[in-house]
Amino acid sequence: MERLLVVEDDPQLAHLMTTVLGREGYTLLLTNNGLDAVQMAPQADLMLLDLGLPGLGGLEVIRELREAGWNLPILVISAQGAEEIRVRALELGADDYLTKPMSVREVVARVRALLRRSRPEQEIQVGDLRILPKRRQVYQGERLLDLSRTELELLLTLALHPGEVWSRERLLQRVWGAERGNAVDERVVDSYVALLRRKLGDDPKTSRYIATVFGRGYRLVSSPVD
């Protein structure tokens, strides 16, 4: 799973962001100052960066990382909403900019989009399934499957972690963006798993692709048997 470095000196906001992003399944790294952010950057797949940091400011963090050749995605989250500041951050090499106060759902969406764009066009192979994330295509052998956006996101989530069991609640959070307290029925996961199985020609009794783990959730079988 991708590692996110949250650089934020507001303890409450830092706690909120790490909690929400942690529920999405990401591994979180956290610091409250720019010097540590530069040192920890090589450990991360994406940085969420405040600009108003003690010591080394956010703009200097961006400059140092880009001058050093680090190209990890940087999402700036700052109370400084003036156009000249936003333009300066983007010119220095930030990939996206959000102004506080912001919606945590939008933070999650921006993180997903940046990570998706930063991934190389690398196909995921599980058995006879070939998934091309950037092209939003799934092949079963030579056959291109006709999957909806939600079906593809569900399959991709399972395929990135073959063999790992995903609970319905965790899948709701990751695929549908449903947080605790949201009134989304967990049975929607079962419905979409059934739809996906049908398109894969999968039999839940033999679990050629998607296995049900009783009382726990679902997992993608690592090597479907022909």
Side-chain angles (χ1 to χ4, degrees), residues 184-196:
V184 178
D185 194 326
E186 288 188 359
R187 287 176 295 183
V188 74
V189 177
D190 300 330
S191 298
Y192 271 91
V193 167
L195 288 170
L196 187 53

Side-chain angles (χ1 to χ4, degrees), residues 4 39 69 80 107 122 178-179 203 206:
L4 310 182
Q39 294 176 355
Q80 302 181 49
V107 172
Q122 178 180 1
E179 301 172 11
D203 183 346
T206 57

Side-chain angles (χ1 to χ4, degrees), residues 6-8 10 12-18 20-21 48-50 75-79 97-111 179:
V6 176
V7 188
E8 175 57 63
D10 181 333
Q12 290 185 331
L13 182 55
H15 176 73
L16 174 62
M17 287 199 294
T18 54
V20 171
L21 292 166
L48 297 94
L49 177 67
D50 183 23
L75 170 58
V76 173
I77 301 178
S78 175
Y97 198 109
L98 276 175
T99 304
K100 300 176 185 176
M102 72 294 176
S103 159
V104 291
R105 291 186 64 185
E106 185 173 7
V107 172
V108 171
R110 298 288 183 103
V111 166
E179 301 172 11

